[in-house]
Amino acid sequence: MAILEILEFPDPRLRTQAKPVAVVDDKLRQLIDDMFETMYDAPGVGLAATQINVHQRLVVIDVSEDKSQPLVFINPEITVLDDELNEYDEGCLSVPGFYETVTRPKRIQVNALDRNGEPFTLEPDGLLAVCIQHELDHLNGKLFVDYVSPVKRDRIRKKLEKQHRSQA
């Protein structure tokens, strides 16, 4: 397994639309394992392939305290189940050190393939529902900072650009 580089905002590659996964094979399962290792090391609770510059519809998530509930979503699709919304403070491995309140649908259904290519359906709530929506945004080239005002987004971008320059 390997720890992969996580792209950081405002890297334009984070805006790439991910393509559907064509084949679930050992190469993809190795990528999944590397993504989990990267996510746990960061540390985070979710990671989309887009964040590691792999533009396939693949997400890994584990919202458990003890890293015991790894979930894989290949070619995930969301359906909003009702109009009720919830607000959560969200952070992102691609926007390190920043948290903002984001409003998202409370109840969703997600259809996807697991790490073996088997279809499954979930109706998550709470943190898992938020995390799934957040990670699927990545697959569509969207970041949580897109939900905040342009002024806040610009401030975050400038701070991260300054950090990147000082690390170079």
Side-chain angles (χ1 to χ4, degrees), residues 43-139:
V45 296
L47 186 66
T50 301
Q51 293 176 271
I52 55 161
N53 202 29
V54 174
H55 302 289
Q56 294 185 319
R57 294 190 64 79
L58 170 63
V59 166
V60 299
I61 292 175
D62 188 343
V63 296
S64 68
E65 292 288 326
D66 59 358
K67 303 176 184 175
S68 65
Q69 297 171 10
L71 297 170
V72 175
F73 299 86
I74 300 169
N75 297 335
E77 296 296 333
I78 286 180
T79 304
V80 176
L81 296 179
D82 66 39
D83 293 335
E84 189 176 356
L85 301 174
N86 264 357
E87 288 186 344
Y88 285 90
D89 282 340
E90 293 188 24
C92 181
L93 297 177
S94 292
V95 190
F98 294 90
Y99 298 87
E100 294 291 339
T101 301
V102 177
T103 303
R104 296 186 184 274
K106 183 176 180 178
R107 291 190 57 237
I108 61 166
Q109 176 179 297
V110 60
N111 295 298
L113 303 176
D114 66 14
R115 70 178 288 124
N116 297 314
E118 296 297 321
F120 71 96
T121 299
L122 274 181
E123 289 187 16
D125 57 15
L127 179 59
L128 181 56
V130 170
C131 192
I132 290 169
Q133 292 174 79
H134 175 108
E135 298 307 330
L136 265 63
D137 274 354
H138 280 297
L139 300 181

Side-chain angles (χ1 to χ4, degrees), residues 3-52:
I3 294 179
L4 308 168
E5 179 188 359
I6 298 172
L7 302 178
E8 292 186 5
F9 178 71
D11 192 310
R13 295 172 292 181
L14 288 167
R15 300 303 188 172
T16 305
Q17 293 270 335
K19 303 271 189 266
V21 171
V23 178
V24 179
D25 57 11
D26 288 341
K27 183 178 176 187
L28 186 73
R29 282 186 279 277
Q30 181 61 57
L31 176 62
I32 289 166
D33 292 341
D34 291 346
M35 287 176 65
F36 273 116
E37 186 173 1
T38 301
M39 179 187 76
Y40 290 138
D41 180 71
V45 296
L47 186 66
T50 301
Q51 293 176 271
I52 55 161

